[in-house]
Amino acid sequence: MSSDLRRLVVIPTYQEAGTITAVLDAVLIQAPGVDVLVVDDNSPDGTAGLVRAHPAHGAAVQLLTRRGKDGLGAAYRAGFAWALDEDYHQVAQMDADLSHPAERLPALFAALEDADVAVGSRYVPGGAVSNWGWHRRLLSRGGNVYVRAVLGTRVRDNTAGFKAFRREALLAIDVLASESSGYAFQIENTWRAQRRGLRIVEVPITFTDRTTGSSKMSGPIAREALGRTLHWWLAELRHRPPSTPGARRDRSLLNTR
Ligand SMILES: Nc1nc2c(ncn2[C@@H]2O[C@H](COP(=O)(O)OP(=O)(O)OP(=O)(O)O)[C@@H](O)[C@H]2O)c(=O)[nH]1
Ligand SMILES: [Mg+2]
């Protein structure tokens, strides 16, 4: 992947000692020239130590450590703030559990040539989910039906955690002022991008369920996603101009695909 653009992948970690080294290796091999920032919330399993021990640490791989577990959203805000501070042109986000295919990073970054936000999507033609049980599939599909119905988003994978943003997109959506702690963070940024009329493109990926470590998905995190989605819809209703045809016209101007 040759380019003058400076590209960064932000990877939040909590208790990912079983996979972090393999993820770093995969990113560096599959997306040469890209830098990586791991944001670790002081994982007791020594994840940060493994990052420091990686041969690329201090060069292509950087580590940001935080005091303790403070949620996915806060970790990403810290990572994106660092990326903006360091003047990266394009910033991707990715999980540390080998669920996201590093080999699709070049496609995600390439999609930013014609888009502001690229979403690694399970739910467009060519996208897939591997190894998930029926209950996780149902939760994810149901969550997307809910978000699309409530917020009227045209993006198919609203809960995707594998995405890339132009620097200008991160600034336009004011990502550092996002509110969500958990999963809702993914929905929030895609929603903010659509509301600001940014160009969003979905790039098909295959998502593979984690085989080691443990999921941080929980009842409160799912409830936050449901509740905040409703809250954003209500806020949108309150701020929408009174005439419905006008509102329709505004929506049609959004340049998403
Ligand atoms: N720094 C930090 N990272 C977190 C936190 N919660 C989750 N993560 C990381 O965010 C990524 C996504 O979390 P997962 O537990 O894989 O969530 P998930 O993908 O919904 O759950 P599974 O599908 O079961 O893997 C992983 O890299 C986690 O280590 C947190 O509080 N702080
Ligand atoms: Mg995961």
Side-chain angles (χ1 to χ4, degrees):
M1 238 171 51
S2 64
S3 162
D4 290 340
L5 295 177
R6 297 187 66 227
R7 296 178 166 123
L8 180 75
V9 181
V10 179
I11 305 178
T13 54
Y14 192 72
Q15 303 283 69
E16 304 291 6
T19 48
I20 187 61
T21 304
V23 171
L24 292 176
D25 289 344
V27 171
L28 297 177
I29 289 167
Q30 301 290 344
V34 167
D35 292 337
V36 184
L37 176 71
V38 176
V39 184
D40 185 66
D41 279 7
N42 202 10
S43 303
D45 71 353
T47 302
L50 290 170
V51 176
R52 283 191 200 97
H54 194 279
H57 178 248
V61 173
Q62 301 291 332
L63 173 69
L64 194 64
T65 45
R66 290 149 46 77
R67 268 201 299 277
K69 185 163 172 21
D70 194 26
L72 180 88
Y76 268 126
R77 279 186 286 276
F80 288 152
W82 190 91
L84 292 170
D85 228 36
E86 295 284 325
D87 291 329
Y88 281 94
H89 299 107
Q90 299 181 343
V91 186
Q93 56 167 87
M94 150 177 210
D95 288 357
D97 56 359
L98 293 171
S99 284
H100 295 149
E103 66 272 19
R104 294 297 281 155
L105 276 170
L108 269 193
F109 283 122
L112 294 182
E113 278 168 29
D114 299 315
D116 302 303
V117 180
V119 176
S121 179
R122 297 161 288 191
Y123 303 134
V124 290
V129 169
S130 165
N131 291 355
W132 255 4
W134 67 267
H135 49 291
R136 269 315 282 269
R137 282 175 198 266
L138 195 68
L139 195 66
S140 177
R141 284 284 192 180
N144 270 290
V145 168
Y146 172 78
V147 172
R148 281 163 59 91
V150 173
L151 295 178
T153 61
R154 265 146 292 144
V155 173
R156 302 220 149 249
D157 197 342
N158 290 277
T159 51
F162 189 45
K163 300 197 273 202
F165 301 85
R166 286 185 183 197
R167 169 189 184 78
E168 297 76 18
L170 290 176
L171 294 170
I173 66 179
D174 203 2
V175 71
L176 304 186
S178 60
E179 307 165 326
S180 310
S181 315
Y183 250 36
F185 179 80
Q186 317 295 15
I187 302 167
E188 181 173 15
N189 289 326
T190 301
W191 163 235
R192 282 172 174 246
Q194 179 170 312
R195 275 189 79 233
R196 279 155 184 77
L198 302 187
R199 297 165 301 165
I200 305 171
V201 70
E202 289 187 84
V203 175
I205 61 142
T206 297
F207 176 99
T208 310
D209 193 17
R210 63 159 76 238
T211 52
T212 44
S214 60
S215 173
K216 281 97 213 168
M217 179 64 165
S218 65
I221 285 177
R223 279 195 293 280
E224 185 202 18
L226 293 177
R228 284 201 188 268
T229 299
L230 212 53
H231 166 82
W232 294 321
W233 174 64
L234 290 170
E236 178 78 352
L237 278 186
R238 276 200 296 275
H239 294 114
R240 191 171 282 178
S243 100
T244 310
R248 282 236 174 83
R249 217 167 32 244
D250 284 345
R251 287 168 60 85
S252 71
L253 287 175
L254 292 179
N255 194 12
T256 55
R257 303 170 222 185

